[in-house]
Amino acid sequence: MHRTADGAALGSATHLDFRLFCSLVQQMHPGGIYLNWGSAVLLPRFSESCLRSAQSRHPSSSITTANFDFIQHYRPLQNVVKRPTASANSRKGEESHGYAITATTSCSCL
């Protein structure tokens, strides 16, 4: 943190981001898709919180989630792949799916 950072302004901006993302999640159509690309800690937790907040106001039907990463970590597997789709399935009785896509790379550098 920089010594001139304003904690109140950072907190206010973070709260605004959270509310904006929640409003977008609330607008997801039935069968909506959420993709997480390589974020292992913050974004998976943030997205699960937004999804739960939106679902508490407007229960959605089936959703599909996918986590794309080179290494599958605990948080994205729980907060992106498993929990959001399990809660959607139990609420509506509809099919929701979560996928964990692991990519590999190879480099033949000289």
Side-chain angles (χ1 to χ4, degrees), residues 63-85:
I63 60 170
T64 300
T65 63
N67 182 59
F68 296 84
D69 210 337
F70 293 110
I71 300 169
Q72 293 297 326
H73 301 279
Y74 171 78
R75 285 182 184 91
L77 287 175
Q78 293 300 315
N79 297 343
V80 174
V81 177
K82 294 182 180 179
R83 286 184 195 136
T85 57

Side-chain angles (χ1 to χ4, degrees), residues 68-72 101-107:
F68 296 84
D69 210 337
F70 293 110
I71 300 169
Q72 293 297 326
I101 313 296
T102 306
T104 59
T105 63
S106 61
C107 177

Side-chain angles (χ1 to χ4, degrees), residues 30-100:
I33 298 171
Y34 173 76
L35 306 175
N36 182 59
W37 294 89
S39 179
V41 179
L42 293 178
L43 191 56
R45 183 66 186 116
F46 183 80
S47 64
E48 184 192 22
S49 295
C50 288
L51 186 60
R52 287 182 185 271
S53 175
Q55 288 174 339
S56 71
R57 291 182 180 95
H58 305 286
S60 62
S61 56
S62 63
I63 60 170
T64 300
T65 63
N67 182 59
F68 296 84
D69 210 337
F70 293 110
I71 300 169
Q72 293 297 326
H73 301 279
Y74 171 78
R75 285 182 184 91
L77 287 175
Q78 293 300 315
N79 297 343
V80 174
V81 177
K82 294 182 180 179
R83 286 184 195 136
T85 57
S87 61
N89 282 339
S90 65
R91 263 193 328 279
K92 292 289 214 173
E94 297 175 357
E95 281 294 317
S96 289
H97 302 282
Y99 300 95

Side-chain angles (χ1 to χ4, degrees), residues 20-29 47 50-51 54-55:
L20 174 62
F21 193 70
C22 285
S23 71
L24 294 172
V25 170
Q26 287 177 0
Q27 296 174 33
M28 277 178 45
H29 295 287
S47 64
C50 288
L51 186 60
Q55 288 174 339

